[in-house]
Amino acid sequence: VLTSSDPAEKQKKLAAELANGRLAMMAIIGMFFQDGLTGSAWGDWALYTDSPLRAFENEIGVQPPVGFWDPLEFTKDGSRENFLRRRAVEIKHGRVAMYACIGYFVPEFTKFSGDLSPSMGIKFSDVPNGLGAFSVVPLAGWLQIVAFCGLIENTGFTFTQRKSIGIMKDASMTGEKAEPGNYGLGWIGAFNTIKPIPALRKRKLNAEL
């Protein structure tokens, strides 16, 4: 079957054999693994009741068709405390990334008017977009940004109430409810009187993640 008088056709068949063989090796490993966990090579993962991931399959962010996605198995130990800490970090980093995207997009269309540093004669319009800003914004400006971030980190966006934070601790996890990413400020921190709609809130939290 793999022989042919046409060298190009023979090369094509040999390449296909190698590709299919590699795919078959991966497939049989997957079937062995699934058979060992569920009792069948075509088994339903719902039968794997001993999975430590079961503890988190109803959490915010778990959506079909992937379900609870943890390819690096950070939650393999089944520790809810570790899961909540990582979720708080995930939400925080996601929010910072979204702000960063806005910081890239908006200056392409508009910038603040006026002076960034009157003493150095630098206007906001002089600051290039993206990484080029590092060479223009004065050191004092970067220190102010770091100080502002530290204030948020220490007060959890309240700016007045000192939170218990530290290594592996987030301000949103120090309150009574201790919900990752929830600083108790309501929608944008301004409308605490609005009663949340559970289904809508869950959809929005899933979208944020």
Side-chain angles (χ1 to χ4, degrees):
V1 177
L2 295 179
T3 60
S4 175
S5 58
D6 184 352
E9 183 67 20
K10 183 179 179 180
Q11 179 68 24
K12 178 181 177 182
K13 289 182 177 181
L14 289 173
E17 180 189 27
L18 282 172
N20 291 339
R22 290 166 179 167
L23 179 61
M25 287 187 285
M26 294 298 295
I28 194 63
I29 291 173
M31 286 190 285
F32 284 156
F33 186 75
Q34 186 156 315
D35 192 4
L37 295 177
T38 68
S40 171
W42 320 106
D44 184 353
W45 280 106
L47 300 176
Y48 182 29
T49 56
D50 293 332
S51 172
L53 303 184
R54 296 291 180 201
F56 311 113
E57 62 182 5
N58 294 319
E59 294 290 340
I60 295 294
V62 179
Q63 302 178 73
V66 178
F68 184 74
W69 193 63
D70 182 22
L72 299 181
E73 298 186 339
F74 286 123
T75 57
K76 187 176 181 180
D77 58 3
S79 170
R80 181 164 181 77
E81 181 181 358
N82 289 338
F83 169 80
L84 292 176
R85 176 180 61 79
R86 292 190 180 103
R87 173 51 56 84
V89 172
E90 178 187 23
I91 292 174
K92 180 188 296 183
H93 289 176
R95 289 170 177 170
V96 170
M98 287 188 281
Y99 280 127
C101 288
I102 293 173
Y104 256 88
F105 298 153
V106 173
E108 291 287 347
F109 302 97
T110 184
K111 293 183 179 182
F112 290 117
S113 60
D115 295 325
L116 170 65
S117 175
S119 61
M120 299 181 67
I122 301 175
K123 299 180 179 297
F124 284 105
S125 58
D126 297 331
V127 180
N129 195 13
L131 298 177
F134 281 103
S135 62
V136 177
V137 177
L139 176 60
W142 293 114
L143 292 177
Q144 290 176 46
I145 293 173
V146 172
F148 179 71
C149 292
L151 178 63
I152 292 176
E153 187 75 13
N154 275 274
T155 62
F157 289 93
T158 64
F159 300 105
T160 57
Q161 304 172 12
R162 180 71 181 271
K163 301 290 184 178
S164 175
I165 65 169
I167 298 176
M168 307 298 185
K169 294 176 67 177
D170 178 74
S172 68
M173 301 302 296
T174 60
E176 295 180 1
K177 294 183 178 180
E179 180 184 11
N182 184 356
Y183 295 93
L185 303 178
W187 185 65
I188 316 183
F191 302 101
N192 286 307
T193 57
I194 295 180
K195 185 177 181 180
I197 302 173
L200 181 60
R201 183 174 187 269
K202 182 178 181 179
R203 181 171 67 83
K204 290 184 176 182
L205 289 173
N206 278 324
E208 180 185 32
L209 282 169

